[in-house]
């Protein structure tokens, strides 16, 4: 989406890459993880990931089976796909068949920040807190930001750059 904060952020950061949307197998975890891995392998040197919603889950699943060194990850408003999602989103059965369930709860091998919303329609603050704890991520409550997407009023999200810098500062210290 051209007006999504991630797309706008990528345009501000030289050398950044985005994972293109899948044309086929849209609900395939394996396909999404492979697409992420392809982009990661195309980057030389250290990298920091920024993911949103289901992209967070892609990163977490990727981390279960890949060992490329990652400097850190900003994981913004992860979707809680273990709880039925609102109408128009995939069902738990579709997600299970796609290989997404359960959500991994293994500690991540790299530093991470989970940015959490108080009123996200796709995940309660309590579930997001539990995921952040399981991943050993720093939890950053954002307040009532919805799902942190254009529907919630977020095209530009300047705080993303601030959180990436905070993550990089933690790594340098």
């Amino acid at each position: 989406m051209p007006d999504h904060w991630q797309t706008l952020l990528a345009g501000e950061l030289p050398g950044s890459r985005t994972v293109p949307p899948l044309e086929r197998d849209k609900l395939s975890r394996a396909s999404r993880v492979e697409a992420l891995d392809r982009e990661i392998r195309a980057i030389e040197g250290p990298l920091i990931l920024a993911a949103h919603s289901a992209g967070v889950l892609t990163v977490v699943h990727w981390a279960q089976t890949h060992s490329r060194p990652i400097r850190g990850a900003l994981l913004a408003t992860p979707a809680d796909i273990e709880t039925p999602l609102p109408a128009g989103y995939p069902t738990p059965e579709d997600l299970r068949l796609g290989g997404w369930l359960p959500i991994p709860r293994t500690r991540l091998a790299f530093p991470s920040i989970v940015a959490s919303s108080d009123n996200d329609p796709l995940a309660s603050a309590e579930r997001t807190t539990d995921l952040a704890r399981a991943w050993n991520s720093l939890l950053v409550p954002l307040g009532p930001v919805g799902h942190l997407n254009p529907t919630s009023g977020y095209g530009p999200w300047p705080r993303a750059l601030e959180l990436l810098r905070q993550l990089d500062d933690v790594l340098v210290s």
Side-chain angles (χ1 to χ4, degrees):
M1 292 172 120
D3 58 342
H4 194 282
W5 67 264
Q6 274 184 293
T7 306
L8 298 169
L9 180 65
E12 292 179 38
L13 298 172
S16 65
R17 299 178 70 97
T18 59
V19 178
L22 292 178
E23 297 302 318
R24 299 183 332 212
D25 300 326
K26 292 181 182 187
L27 287 180
S28 167
R29 176 191 50 83
S31 295
R32 291 301 309 160
V33 167
E34 173 54 33
L36 174 61
D37 189 55
R38 196 170 30 255
E39 294 303 321
I40 288 173
R41 283 183 282 131
I43 298 170
E44 292 185 26
L47 65 129
I48 295 177
L49 303 174
H52 173 254
S53 190
V56 171
L57 305 179
T58 302
V59 167
V60 173
H61 277 283
W62 176 88
Q64 303 300 300
T65 56
H66 294 79
S67 60
R68 164 80 189 267
I70 302 296
R71 287 182 47 85
L74 171 58
L75 307 172
T77 59
D80 175 12
I81 60 171
E82 293 175 338
T83 302
L85 298 170
Y89 288 92
T91 67
E93 180 63 10
D94 291 337
L95 293 164
R96 185 187 65 73
L97 291 172
W100 291 99
L101 299 174
I103 297 171
R105 297 216 171 29
T106 306
R107 179 183 177 131
L108 296 173
F110 44 84
S112 57
I113 293 174
V114 170
S116 172
S117 172
D118 291 347
N119 62 342
D120 188 343
L122 302 186
S124 71
E126 294 78 19
R127 291 283 288 184
T128 303
T129 299
D130 290 343
L131 292 172
R133 188 174 298 121
W135 299 332
N136 196 41
S137 300
L138 173 64
L139 180 70
V140 176
L142 301 175
V145 297
H147 192 55
L148 199 63
N149 59 5
T151 302
S152 300
Y154 289 87
W157 181 43
R159 185 96 189 262
L161 192 53
E162 174 189 324
L163 291 172
L164 288 173
R165 285 189 181 122
Q166 179 181 341
L167 186 58
D168 201 36
D169 288 345
V170 167
L171 297 170
V172 171
S173 304

